[in-house]
Amino acid sequence: MKAAPITASSRPSHNVARILARKGGTAFLLNASGMVIAFLLQVLLARELGVDGYGHYAYVMTVLTFLVFPAKLGFDTTIVRYVAAYRSREQWGEVKGLLRYSNRWSVGLSLAVVGVGFVALWLYSDRVERELYDTFVIGLTFVPFLALATLRQSALQALNEVLYAQMPEKIIRPVLLAGCLYAAVHLGTVSSNAPTAMSLFGFSLLATYALGAWVLRRKTANQLKDVQPAFQRKEWMRTSLSLMANAGIYLILGQMGVLMMGMYLGTDDSGILSAAVRVASLVTFAMTAINMTAAPLMSAAYAENDMKRLQRVCTASGIASLAFAGAVLLVFLIFGREVMAVFGADFRAGYIPLLIMSAGQFVSALCGQTGMVMTMTGHQGILTKALIVSALLNVGLNAVLIPAYGMNGAAAAMCVAGSFWPIAMVFVVKRKLGIETSVLQAIFNRKRGGRQ
């Protein structure tokens, strides 16, 4: 999508700091609440299921995450990018067409993924523990709803409805799952195991999916009611395939260590590492929350050819993200063992991996919104190349380091590979767009300019 030229007189004025403070503040508070709830949910699951049960549940959830991304076909990010631009131009026919087109593809691909998953599970049934097998069977049935829920979330995000985009998944779903799990185990006769937890996850997913779909329909009723859908199929598909490749690589960078730990050392160690991965992701929590608001602003600014506003979005979001990342990293350095022990005594073994992965997350925050800028401005092809190098590095390092160093090796692989692409993109974004995403880069250049 090329940036559409807009004259200065016709371009609307935007107070970026105010928008990010208001909308980003809402996203931050919502995600912060969701973070606390998700953390408590993981603690509840770990304590109720034990190391074995939690390991099975976490491993299946990791596999489901890998299965959902081809079912989405990259349309989740495509929706954020295009709907935000279409909204700024009031092209509601294209909005309606993209939502309809993406949902149809997602349903078809989800069913295909589920079918392949069941065949693979049947072929390897004699090599899989019974509890793990049952957990897989239950989890596979919910792949279509996971994919469609993600698309709905992206649509609301692009419409700047951050609260409604995040509330079902961040707040309602984990609270519902935790309440159902506790009631089923302590007030009923249901056994505390991974299949039970996965079944209750599915129930909570279906409930929040229905709620989210209803909200999206209400929020778009006035704009889309009497509008004929317009389709840009080739452009959307080309963009989505590229973004799907990027999403898959992000997934490899974040979860491949957990999968390879399970293959090399078993699901107990992979469960502990999975908990450490979740905790380490809190370092870039602010960046993720702010991106909910920043991404549509980036897309709209580029569509309107307003590079100064794009720079302001990157600078304002980068400062807030880096400050939060530094504070969280410090907390983990001092209290990391206690944080991991909340999951259970056995999870203390994840302290060193937590610190290693947190350092990698801090590097990402230091580099700023590089990946989001490249995606929202149509330069995802360059990003893909850097991500491929990082993914290959991740897999290679995991294969070498896990057998020798276990969880610490997996954490080191994720840290090194996960730091490569954002560092590279800092320089690419500057060269391609003239945008400085790193706060330190911006400060250094200002000081150098002041001395000249």
Side-chain angles (χ1 to χ4, degrees):
M1 179 178 64
K2 295 181 180 179
I6 295 181
T7 62
S9 61
S10 66
R11 185 182 298 124
S13 60
H14 295 272
N15 188 324
V16 170
R18 186 176 71 247
I19 294 173
L20 283 175
R22 180 167 53 87
K23 294 281 188 176
T26 300
F28 182 86
L29 291 175
L30 186 61
N31 278 271
S33 301
M35 173 192 70
V36 173
I37 293 171
F39 181 79
L40 294 176
L41 173 62
Q42 296 305 311
V43 171
L44 176 65
L45 287 167
R47 290 185 174 275
E48 292 292 342
L49 304 182
V51 173
D52 275 350
Y54 181 79
H56 290 156
Y57 178 85
Y59 190 73
V60 172
M61 287 301 298
T62 301
V63 174
L64 292 182
T65 303
F66 273 88
L67 295 179
V68 166
F69 100 84
K72 296 182 301 183
L73 200 66
F75 277 115
D76 51 336
T77 311
T78 300
I79 287 172
V80 175
R81 175 180 159 190
Y82 280 99
V83 169
Y86 292 150
R87 177 174 175 265
S88 71
R89 301 168 182 163
E90 297 189 355
Q91 295 175 283
W92 295 108
E94 281 78 1
V95 171
K96 189 172 186 177
L98 176 55
L99 296 182
R100 183 175 295 181
Y101 184 71
S102 59
N103 280 332
R104 288 174 178 174
W105 268 101
S106 185
V107 169
L109 290 172
S110 295
L111 294 176
V113 166
V114 171
V116 172
F118 275 118
V119 170
L121 191 61
W122 175 72
L123 291 174
Y124 289 92
S125 60
D126 58 336
R127 307 180 191 178
V128 180
E129 294 179 43
R130 185 64 194 182
E131 181 176 309
L132 184 59
Y133 178 88
D134 292 341
T135 308
F136 266 120
V137 169
I138 296 168
L140 281 173
T141 62
F142 300 118
V143 169
F145 297 98
L146 282 168
L148 290 173
T150 304
L151 298 188
R152 185 268 313 157
Q153 185 178 16
S154 296
L156 287 169
Q157 178 188 345
L159 296 170
N160 273 333
E161 297 288 352
V162 177
L163 178 65
Y164 295 106
Q166 294 289 290
M167 180 70 76
E169 277 71 33
K170 296 289 184 181
I171 306 296
I172 300 175
R173 184 194 296 173
V175 168
L176 187 58
L177 172 55
C180 289
L181 179 63
Y182 185 85
V185 173
H186 294 277
L187 303 180
T189 58
V190 178
S191 57
S192 178
N193 55 33
T196 296
M198 188 59 67
S199 298
L200 295 176
F201 166 79
F203 169 76
S204 63
L205 169 64
L206 294 176
T208 52
Y209 168 75
L211 174 63
W214 176 78
V215 170
L216 178 60
R217 191 174 296 110
R218 289 291 301 272
K219 288 294 179 180
T220 57
N222 292 334
Q223 293 87 353
L224 304 184
K225 182 178 180 181
D226 298 319
V227 173
Q228 289 297 317
F231 296 92
Q232 303 291 334
R233 293 181 178 87
K234 290 183 179 180
E235 183 179 356
W236 295 339
M237 182 57 69
R238 182 173 61 250
T239 301
S240 294
L241 289 174
S242 177
L243 293 174
M244 184 187 71
N246 289 355
I249 299 171
Y250 281 128
L251 203 55
I252 289 172
L253 291 172
Q255 299 293 332
M256 183 56 71
V258 176
L259 281 179
M260 294 184 72
M261 277 291 297
M263 290 187 291
Y264 280 110
L265 302 178
T267 57
D268 287 0
D269 285 338
S270 72
I272 295 173
L273 182 65
S274 177
V277 169
R278 290 175 181 273
V279 176
S281 67
L282 299 181
V283 175
T284 51
F285 164 75
M287 179 184 291
T288 302
I290 293 171
N291 270 346
M292 294 293 296
T293 301
L297 294 179
M298 291 175 186
S299 178
Y302 187 71
E304 297 170 10
N305 202 26
D306 191 342
M307 305 308 288
K308 290 184 179 179
R309 177 151 55 100
L310 180 57
Q311 178 65 73
R312 291 198 298 271
V313 173
C314 292
T315 301
S317 58
I319 291 172
S321 299
L322 183 60
F324 185 88
V328 174
L329 180 59
L330 182 62
V331 169
F332 288 165
L333 283 170
I334 300 173
F335 302 108
R337 284 190 177 86
E338 288 74 14
V339 172
M340 291 303 300
V342 174
F343 290 89
D346 293 334
F347 287 82
R348 285 180 177 271
Y351 170 65
I352 298 301
L354 169 63
L355 294 186
I356 296 172
M357 290 184 292
S358 296
Q361 294 284 328
F362 182 77
V363 171
S364 182
L366 192 62
C367 293
Q369 319 283 22
T370 55
M372 189 59 66
V373 171
M374 295 299 282
T375 299
M376 292 297 112
T377 59
H379 292 84
Q380 65 273 0
I382 302 173
L383 176 63
T384 301
K385 296 176 182 177
L387 288 172
I388 289 174
V389 175
S390 290
L392 294 174
L393 190 61
N394 184 298
V395 174
L397 289 174
N398 271 312
V400 173
L401 297 178
I402 288 178
Y405 302 102
M407 282 187 288
N408 293 342
M414 284 188 275
C415 176
V416 173
S419 299
F420 172 80
W421 71 265
I423 293 174
M425 285 300 102
V426 167
F427 300 100
V428 173
V429 171
K430 176 63 177 177
R431 188 179 76 250
K432 289 288 183 180
L433 302 172
I435 300 296
E436 296 169 342
T437 58
S438 171
V439 175
L440 295 184
Q441 179 190 36
I443 294 174
F444 174 77
N445 286 339
R446 287 194 183 96
K447 287 184 177 180
R448 186 175 62 179
R451 290 195 298 267
Q452 292 177 348

